[in-house]
Amino acid sequence: MPIMDHPALLASRQGWRRAGSVVVFTNGCFDVLHRGHVHLLERARALGDVLVVGVNADASVRAVKGPDRPLVAQGDRAAVLASLAAVDAVTIFDEPTPARLIQALEPDVLVKGGDWPVEQIVGAGDVTRRGGRVLSLPLLPGYSTTGIVERVLAAHRRAAAPAAGAVSGPLAALAESIAVEQRLLAECGEAITRAGRLLADTLLRGGKVLLFGNGGSAAEAQHIAAELVGRFSRERRALPALALTTDTSALTAVGNDWGFERIFARQVEALASPGDAVVALSTSGASPNVLAAVMAARDRKCAVVGVTGARGTRLGGLCDAPVVVPSTVTERVQEASLVIGHVWCEMIDACIADAREP
């Protein structure tokens, strides 16, 4: 079947609907296609009459998985998928999530792999509200593109000679931090500024910013919120920002009655409005309470900004503007996250000044 652009896909959808066909949709990066992917696609196809596969564009993969990905270009990934017997149509989407594509396509069945709980699947609400089904299918054990990439990189590191003159001892951590931030500047500048513009636009339109995270990320959420409510580098009006990590009564009440996973989501449900933005901070990208709050924000039509580490693809895949720090070391990711927050504060200050608001 052909690789379709979105207008051609939606035109085909009308024909499938007239024929009474059940349309199944799934999506992913599919970078380095493996047996686990094929197994999932075959099972998805068995749930209906037509299987449509959405493929993240190269820029989308970089946003979600970091600057070193994809390994295979979008056209090649789409061509390989289109050659599979189980796949009826392939389309490429440019955004970090397929939310708008799913809204336009209106599939009867939405499918993701078993590492995605149904409550974290983007588009699930739209599909179920129309009477469709959303399924998380068990994965074939032992297959993962990220695992393949990490094995290749590990072999490369073992073969590489140690760098001459490397810093050792107590200052090694400082050298590592500098190296991460140099990569952050070189590889993630576009993602950082895109997220900063989104936050600035939200505030200029009269929206507010809600921030959350655990541990060190909680402290950074409070720090950024304080800079926005107060000031960062220049005088300006106070800006509406709130860290959801500070109200101990709300945190303990929600944690006690609904569980720790709901401590941020419940506050988002209470405080967020359409047009607001949330900032999700998680070095792992897998904290259940952070992910639950992100899904609550998406349900309320809020923009979602996220900062995570190199393994944080789960959070990255749920954000409108993710920043994936090129490190798997928690301390280095937290240090970079603070710098990113300061860049955003400077951008917001400049935007407010340029708008000549009182």
Side-chain angles (χ1 to χ4, degrees):
M1 286 291 291
I3 300 169
M4 300 182 179
D5 61 19
H6 292 188
L9 177 66
L10 298 181
S12 296
R13 177 65 173 99
Q14 297 304 315
W16 297 329
R17 182 176 284 118
R18 287 193 296 270
S21 299
V22 174
V23 176
V24 183
F25 178 84
T26 191
N27 66 278
C29 298
F30 298 100
D31 194 19
V32 186
L33 196 70
H34 52 69
R35 182 181 176 186
H37 289 141
V38 175
H39 181 260
L40 175 66
L41 295 171
E42 289 175 344
R43 295 191 64 196
R45 178 62 173 78
L47 296 170
D49 304 302
V50 176
L51 175 60
V52 178
V53 179
V55 180
N56 294 70
D58 290 349
S60 174
V61 177
R62 283 193 293 273
V64 172
K65 293 186 176 290
D68 293 332
R69 302 282 293 275
L71 302 178
V72 181
Q74 63 190 47
D76 295 332
R77 290 183 281 123
V80 173
L81 285 165
S83 71
L84 298 177
V87 176
D88 297 291
V90 177
T91 193
I92 298 171
F93 62 93
D94 296 319
E95 297 167 315
T97 79
R100 291 207 288 185
L101 175 58
I102 292 170
Q103 290 172 355
L105 182 63
E106 297 184 347
D108 303 294
V109 184
L110 176 60
V111 172
K112 287 287 284 183
D115 54 339
W116 285 93
V118 169
E119 62 271 17
Q120 293 177 11
I121 296 176
V122 171
D126 292 313
V127 173
T128 56
R129 278 190 289 270
R130 292 193 307 271
R133 293 191 295 159
V134 180
L135 300 172
S136 177
L137 300 182
L139 295 174
L140 196 64
Y143 292 91
S144 161
T145 296
T146 299
I148 293 170
V149 171
E150 289 183 350
R151 287 196 296 273
V152 172
L153 290 176
H156 174 74
R157 292 189 202 101
R158 288 194 296 270
V167 178
S168 59
L171 296 181
L174 179 58
E176 289 175 6
S177 185
I178 292 170
V180 169
E181 292 183 17
Q182 286 175 331
R183 288 191 62 191
L184 190 70
L185 175 62
E187 301 170 4
C188 303
E190 181 180 349
I192 294 169
T193 54
R194 179 172 182 266
R197 285 194 297 268
L198 188 155
L199 294 174
D201 289 345
T202 296
L203 293 165
L204 286 170
R205 290 195 306 266
K208 60 182 173 291
V209 176
L210 306 177
L211 307 97
F212 46 86
N214 297 294
S217 297
E220 292 190 5
Q222 293 163 216
H223 177 82
I224 297 170
E227 301 288 14
L228 296 177
V229 171
R231 68 165 185 258
F232 186 64
S233 59
R234 64 178 81 182
E235 289 293 339
R236 49 141 172 85
R237 66 179 174 88
L239 299 173
L242 179 66
L244 304 185
T245 56
T246 60
D247 187 338
T248 54
S249 294
L251 292 169
T252 54
V254 174
N256 184 68
D257 293 347
W258 287 278
F260 190 70
E261 185 173 330
R262 295 282 298 159
I263 60 171
F264 302 137
R266 186 71 172 178
Q267 294 185 78
V268 170
E269 292 166 1
L271 300 171
S273 301
D276 289 343
V278 303
V279 177
L281 305 173
S282 172
T283 57
S284 70
S287 301
N289 56 1
V290 171
L291 298 177
V294 166
M295 296 308 294
R298 296 193 66 87
D299 285 344
R300 277 149 189 77
K301 309 303 180 187
C302 298
V304 180
V305 172
V307 180
T308 188
R311 292 198 179 102
T313 55
R314 174 59 53 83
L315 175 58
L318 297 174
C319 293
D320 301 300
V323 180
V324 181
V325 176
S327 176
T328 59
V329 179
T330 298
E331 297 83 357
R332 304 294 86 81
V333 178
Q334 288 178 333
E335 291 154 2
S337 180
L338 181 58
V339 173
I340 292 166
H342 282 178
V343 171
W344 290 341
C345 289
E346 288 191 351
M347 290 180 65
I348 291 166
D349 277 5
C351 288
I352 297 295
D354 290 344
R356 294 183 172 86
E357 295 198 356

